[in-house]
Amino acid sequence: MTDFETMWKKSVNDMIDSIKSNDMIHDYLLSFEPCENTGYAWTKDKKYKEYSNYLDQKTGYVHSGASFACCIRESVDIIRNELVVVKGISVDVDDDFVVINIS
């Protein structure tokens, strides 16, 4: 892995951790789609600006505007594509009773 790849991976992981540390920001960014003409870098959305200022501070002010926009886009894409693994519970219905088998 090159030095750049190592640095980028750390930046994205730091951004993911920062997004996940605040439920309001997490939920907002997962539903937010910037205008295709402005993207994340030039959006005028006030809530996004508020949250991006917080994330910039939380990640150490290490980005230019362009790298911040790229980092947040990649981080949100990764979060959106994470798999959620849920342990299944089998349920049997017998007359008026529901029997749940947890094994």
Side-chain angles (χ1 to χ4, degrees):
M1 190 177 287
T2 67
D3 288 345
F4 174 79
E5 290 169 329
T6 301
M7 180 272 312
W8 184 249
K9 184 175 181 174
K10 181 184 180 330
S11 292
V12 170
N13 287 335
D14 288 348
M15 184 67 73
I16 289 170
D17 291 343
S18 297
I19 291 169
K20 287 181 173 183
S21 74
N22 184 304
D23 290 338
M24 289 185 349
I25 292 173
H26 176 270
D27 295 346
Y28 173 81
L29 287 176
L30 290 185
S31 64
F32 177 69
E33 266 312 318
C35 173
E36 70 179 50
N37 296 326
T38 61
Y40 286 100
W42 293 289
T43 185
K44 302 277 189 222
D45 185 272
K46 290 179 182 177
K47 187 62 74 176
Y48 174 80
K49 290 292 189 187
E50 175 187 336
Y51 290 157
S52 66
N53 288 337
Y54 170 84
L55 292 170
D56 195 24
Q57 180 269 325
K58 187 140 173 91
T59 56
Y61 300 109
V62 296
H63 294 283
S64 68
S67 74
F68 183 87
C70 291
C71 187
I72 205 161
R73 179 175 296 282
E74 184 167 344
S75 299
V76 168
D77 284 347
I78 289 170
I79 293 169
R80 284 179 178 156
N81 290 313
E82 287 178 335
L83 295 176
V84 176
V85 178
V86 178
K87 181 178 179 183
I89 300 173
S90 65
V91 177
D92 295 320
V93 178
D94 182 24
D95 294 333
D96 295 328
F97 299 98
V98 174
V99 180
I100 300 175
N101 300 313
I102 301 175
S103 46

